[in-house]
């Protein structure tokens, strides 16, 4: 069986110590294994990055950008292969994988502009006979730790820009679907990046802790679940590193009673069930502002009908709308949330537990699930489900809907369905962010806009 190794100093190596099974979630079979890097292997990667740094930082930005141009071309040439690797290990269907890759390539395109982006500034006479200038310098060895749900895109958020700026990178991707990530990093080497500038170590907590504790690592970028984000942020900053840590989400949409429900249903079908709900921007809660319950009833009836046509199945079959979830354990977790909703008194309107997927009986499938009459005290509401499950919460007023969103522990994004955005109301953030002090959670501009909209309405 194939074992996925690490990319260190331009060469693929395996650690030899520990391995973990890699599943094809569509079939439920163990397809490969991944080598889990121990401390010494991660230290080799850090040493390779540090050795490559002096020459790379002195490489003109224009030459660094040329590598990115070639990288972009290789990503496009190998797009289908990358999407197949994503599908085999993540379960994502082809058009979702292609969308993810395209979003990733956009970061490479941005990095191609690095000669312009790295320009500094000069101020004359900031004091008597004193000029001042700033210039942008690379930090040295920087690290990225990434989640399973976007094995191509999230790493591409991180290292193209870091590397184009002159840093050297050690990436620790998710150990649940590492193949596409490793393949993409190899394409960057093929594009002409000198050995050691990008290194990939597969592994788990041991590899992560080594990166967080090693004094040669100057900065850490993390994307994943909130508990791990908090841990990474605390440990990296305690060690004096710069750290950005993005965590989990629970994204809400408000449905106003006079919303265009056909439009809302179409938009929410993709947002809630696409990629099996395994997106940090998945929209998992519809808050129906239900004057006389009319909005909720209209939405639910249309959504129920739309969901009859939703098809869950293997990543490889083009007619499917979404694929399996990542592992058997995650499948059990998602089903556990649906069970808990039922036990706590919510109404399962469309039940995706145990869907029939002929020919793929052992795959990790959950069908699209719609749950009505969810209340904020329920477990399914409080936690991130990360599966194809849409909750409906009924409230009486728009103010209650906004308060609900504001009070939730998780942020990321929100939406509002109205007949049309009112004219004369800017849909940009007029006030400082709504979630001050939540370092690991993305702030929520739309809530601020909604508040502004409501204030204007009341005035
Ligand atoms: P995860 O937190 O389990 O894993 C993320 C990374 O952390 C992996 O590389 C993993 O190996 C490592 N890790 C896991 N446990 C660790 C531990 N105890 N100590 C040190 N390292 C550890 O996340 P996941 O399940 O792979 O990804 C899904 C999560 O990521 C969801 O919560 C999703 O919302 C979030 N996410 C957020 C964004 C965003 O932009 N905010 C984007 C994508 C995904």
């Amino acid at each position: 069986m194939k074992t996925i190794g690490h990319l260190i100093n331009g060469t693929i190596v395996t650690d030899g110590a520990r391995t973990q099974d890699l599943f094809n979630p569509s079939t439920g079979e163990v397809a490969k294994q991944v080598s889990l890097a121990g401390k010494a292997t991660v230290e080799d990667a850090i040493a390779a990055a540090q050795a490559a740094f002096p020459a790379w930082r002195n490489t003109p930005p224009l030459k660094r950008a040329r590598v990115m141009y070639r990288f972009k071309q290789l990503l496009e040439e190998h797009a289908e292969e990358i999407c197949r690797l994503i599908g085999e290990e993540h379960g994502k269907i082809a058009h979702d994988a292609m969308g993810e890759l395209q979003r990733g390539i956009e970061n490479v395109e941005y990095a191609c502009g690095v000669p312009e982006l790295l320009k500094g500034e000069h101020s004359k006479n900031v004091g008597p006979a004193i000029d001042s200038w700033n210039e942008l310098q690379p930090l040295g060895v920087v690290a990225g730790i990434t989640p399973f749900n976007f094995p191509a895109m999230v790493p591409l958020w991180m290292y193209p820009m870091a590397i184009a700026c002159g840093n050297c990178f050690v990436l620790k991707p998710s150990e649940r679907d590492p193949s596409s990530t490793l393949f993409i990093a190899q394409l960057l080497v093929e594009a002409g990046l000198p050995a050691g500038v990008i290194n990939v170590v597969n592994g788990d907590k041991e590899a992560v802790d080594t990166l967080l504790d090693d004094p040669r690592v100057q900065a850490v970028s993390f994307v994943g679940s909130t508990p791990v984000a908090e841990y990474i942020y605390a440990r990296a900053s305690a060690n004096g590193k710069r750290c950005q840590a993005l965590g989990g989400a629970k994204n809400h949409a408000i449905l106003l009673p006079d919303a265009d429900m056909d439009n809302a249903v179409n938009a929410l079908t993709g947002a809630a069930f696409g990629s099996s709900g395994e997106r940090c921007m998945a929209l998992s809660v519809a808050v129906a502002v239900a004057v006389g319950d009319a909005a909720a009833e209209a939405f639910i009836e249309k959504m129920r009908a739309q969901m009859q046509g939703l098809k869950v199945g293997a990543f490889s079959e083009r007619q499917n709308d979404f694929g399996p979830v990542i592992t058997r354990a995650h499948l059990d977790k998602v089903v556990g949330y649906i069970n808990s909703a039922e036990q706590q008194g919510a109404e399962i309107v469309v039940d995706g537990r145990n869907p029939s997927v002929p020919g793929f009986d052992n795959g990790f499938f959950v069908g699209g699930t719609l749950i009505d009459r969810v209340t904020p005290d329920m477990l399914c509401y409080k936690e991130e489900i990360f599966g194809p499950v849409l909750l409906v919460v009924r409230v009486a007023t728009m103010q209650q809907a906004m308060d609900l969103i504001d009070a939730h522990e998780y942020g990321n994004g929100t939406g509002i369905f109205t007949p049309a955005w009112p004219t004369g109301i800017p849909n940009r953030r007029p006030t400082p962010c709504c979630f001050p002090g939540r370092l690991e959670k993305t702030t929520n501009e739309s809530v601020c806009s909604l508040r502004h909209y409501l204030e204007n309405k009341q005035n």
Side-chain angles (χ1 to χ4, degrees), residues 360-400:
F360 295 90
D361 295 338
N362 296 318
F364 309 143
F365 297 105
V366 195
T369 299
L370 180 64
I371 309 182
D372 188 18
R373 300 193 185 277
V374 170
T375 51
D377 55 316
M378 293 179 183
L379 188 71
C380 66
Y381 179 76
K382 287 193 234 174
E383 298 186 3
E384 182 183 32
I385 299 177
F386 225 50
V389 181
L390 179 62
L391 311 180
V392 179
V393 180
R394 300 182 182 212
V395 297
T397 66
M398 181 155 148
Q399 185 62 55
Q400 285 174 2

Side-chain angles (χ1 to χ4, degrees), residues 226-241:
T226 294
V228 182
E230 285 170 347
Y231 168 76
I232 302 264
Y233 189 82
R235 190 153 172 167
S237 43
N239 285 328
K241 300 182 197 314

Side-chain angles (χ1 to χ4, degrees), residues 164-238:
C165 288
N167 299 288
C168 293
F169 209 92
V170 182
L171 175 68
K172 206 303 285 171
S174 172
E175 66 276 36
R176 286 185 270 179
D177 50 6
S179 291
S180 62
T181 323
L182 186 66
F183 178 72
I184 289 173
Q186 288 176 278
L187 292 181
L188 181 52
V189 174
E190 191 182 327
L193 196 74
V197 178
I198 176 92
N199 304 275
V200 181
V201 284
N202 287 305
D204 53 14
K205 186 169 170 15
E206 183 177 344
V208 170
D209 287 348
T210 307
L211 290 170
L212 297 177
D213 292 343
D214 195 299
R216 292 170 293 182
V217 175
Q218 304 295 322
V220 175
S221 189
F222 172 84
V223 177
S225 61
T226 294
V228 182
E230 285 170 347
Y231 168 76
I232 302 264
Y233 189 82
R235 190 153 172 167
S237 43

Side-chain angles (χ1 to χ4, degrees), residues 10 30 50 75 90 112 174 218 226 248 298 312 316 337 359 378 451:
V30 176
Q50 197 177 38
L75 286 170
H90 177 284
C112 288
S174 172
Q218 304 295 322
T226 294
V312 58
S316 47
Y337 281 119
M378 293 179 183
R451 179 174 291 138

Side-chain angles (χ1 to χ4, degrees), residues 434-453:
C434 292
F435 296 132
R438 295 197 186 177
L439 288 166
E440 81 286 2
K441 288 157 202 149
T442 316
T443 57
N444 195 329
E445 292 209 1
S446 359
V447 172
C448 301
S449 291
L450 296 182
R451 179 174 291 138
H452 187 64
Y453 166 58

Side-chain angles (χ1 to χ4, degrees), residues 252-423:
H252 293 58
I254 297 176
L255 300 171
L256 291 183
D258 51 358
D260 175 343
M261 286 300 166
D262 290 325
N263 175 45
V265 164
N266 276 335
L268 288 178
T269 302
F273 307 117
S275 207
S276 312
E278 291 174 324
R279 289 180 181 144
C280 61
M281 289 304 288
L283 208 140
S284 51
V285 186
V287 190
V289 177
V291 182
D293 275 354
E297 301 298 347
F299 172 73
I300 284 165
E301 277 324 302
K302 283 178 189 286
M303 186 51 112
R304 189 208 305 263
Q306 172 102 339
M307 288 173 71
Q308 303 300 320
L310 267 186
K311 214 165 170 336
V312 58
F315 85 93
S316 47
E317 304 197 353
R318 286 200 167 263
Q319 77 275 14
N320 292 330
D321 294 302
F322 60 92
V325 296
I326 182 76
T327 55
R328 167 78 50 196
H330 191 58
L331 169 66
D332 293 343
K333 198 173 157 192
V334 174
V335 169
Y337 281 119
I338 303 172
N339 294 341
S340 79
E342 194 169 41
Q343 283 151 15
Q344 292 187 294
E347 188 185 322
I348 313 293
V349 179
V350 181
D351 191 347
R353 289 171 289 189
N354 301 316
S356 158
V357 184
F360 295 90
D361 295 338
N362 296 318
F364 309 143
F365 297 105
V366 195
T369 299
L370 180 64
I371 309 182
D372 188 18
R373 300 193 185 277
V374 170
T375 51
D377 55 316
M378 293 179 183
L379 188 71
C380 66
Y381 179 76
K382 287 193 234 174
E383 298 186 3
E384 182 183 32
I385 299 177
F386 225 50
V389 181
L390 179 62
L391 311 180
V392 179
V393 180
R394 300 182 182 212
V395 297
T397 66
M398 181 155 148
Q399 185 62 55
Q400 285 174 2
M402 291 198 301
D403 290 347
L404 197 66
I405 298 171
D406 250 352
H408 203 284
E409 187 195 350
Y410 295 107
N412 248 20
T414 59
I416 180 166
F417 290 93
T418 66
W421 190 266
T423 50

